Amino acid sequence: MDVDVSPNTVLWLTFAISFIFGAIGQKTHFCTMGAVSDILNMGDWSRMRMWLLAIAVAILGAGALHASGLIDLDKSIYRSTSLTWLSYLVGGFCFGVGMVLASGCGSKTLIRIGSGNLKSLVVFLVLGLFAYMTMRGVFGVFRVTYLDPVAVNLPQGQDIPSLLAGFGIAETTGATLAVLAIGGGLLAFCLLRRDFWTLDNLLGGLGTGLLVVLVWYVSGHLGYLPEHPDTLEEAFLATNSGRMESLTFVASVGYTLELFMLWSDTSRVLTVAIVSVLGVIAGSAAWSLATRNFRWEGFASVEDTASHLIGAALMGFGGVTAFGCTVGQGITGVSTLALGSFIALAAIIAGSVIALKVQYWRLMRD
């Protein structure tokens, strides 16, 4: 680290970035579940392109930071040597189904809380509870016993550049090729459509992707300590995992509830994950109030309540099991080019497509 940075600096910067994320999400209606729904229902790819643009920017930005030596993506949770493919598939599928039933993913839940949606507040509480139970409780025992052990060991790493190195391609060359091919390809797919060039689409895509990259920089560069004065080991300031982190919104909700429930325990402190949750809610609320779009909204029926409760539970379990959500794996994880992130992302989309088709079938039947 070039200069001495305190944990508070890392936390305040993360909060500010997350605040902007919440405001952008509220203004642009950035929503992965909505993107999939728009395609199935209307054939409209605008919001999907917004999400894909965010992924492209995150891949290009994170790849540039890694290539320059400012951060080391190998020190994130995504590039582990153990490819827990069953956890990615089961967790991702559950999350995909859950976000349809709960009317949005983890980030969308936080954004809707900021605009006065009481349904999303209930989803937040249930999602956080199930996320915590999947990290350290009864579902955690199930996950660790039956899902995580089903894995493929990849000593060289599960990221695409490392996998390409196994075929004789130099890792730096492989990284450049993968970043340009995937990130550049997605960028072209989005921007070559002139009808996509609206303020909201560009702001939602470019802004969201850039914010993920900025948190990588804050956590992985400004918050990096080659040798912590207390442990004399490498450390990343104010992270729950002990590794560099960026935006993700499932386990972070569980950590937030844990802090509030155990506030008197002085060992519990604010982290990058927790302040990102608070920042998104605050940013969304600020934009909603400033534009006079803040509205209280509650459940319409018992069926609506049950759907959101089940969806929240599935997202809490699925998001932790898959190591992330539509942002945590779909943007942040994919930006590291980790194979597991692509598997989780595919499972999330598959789960959401099936759940949406079932909903449409029920609607047509009724």
Side-chain angles (χ1 to χ4, degrees), residues 71-91:
I71 65 172
D72 184 355
L73 292 174
D74 291 331
K75 295 175 181 176
S76 68
I77 64 171
Y78 303 101
R79 287 189 170 187
S80 67
T81 57
S82 179
L83 181 66
T84 54
W85 61 269
L86 185 59
S87 294
Y88 294 135
L89 288 175
V90 172

Side-chain angles (χ1 to χ4, degrees), residues 294-315:
F294 186 93
R295 299 288 187 275
W296 294 114
E297 182 181 352
F299 292 106
S301 64
V302 172
E303 183 178 357
D304 188 32
T305 305
S307 176
H308 281 77
L309 291 175
I310 295 170
L314 287 172
M315 283 200 294

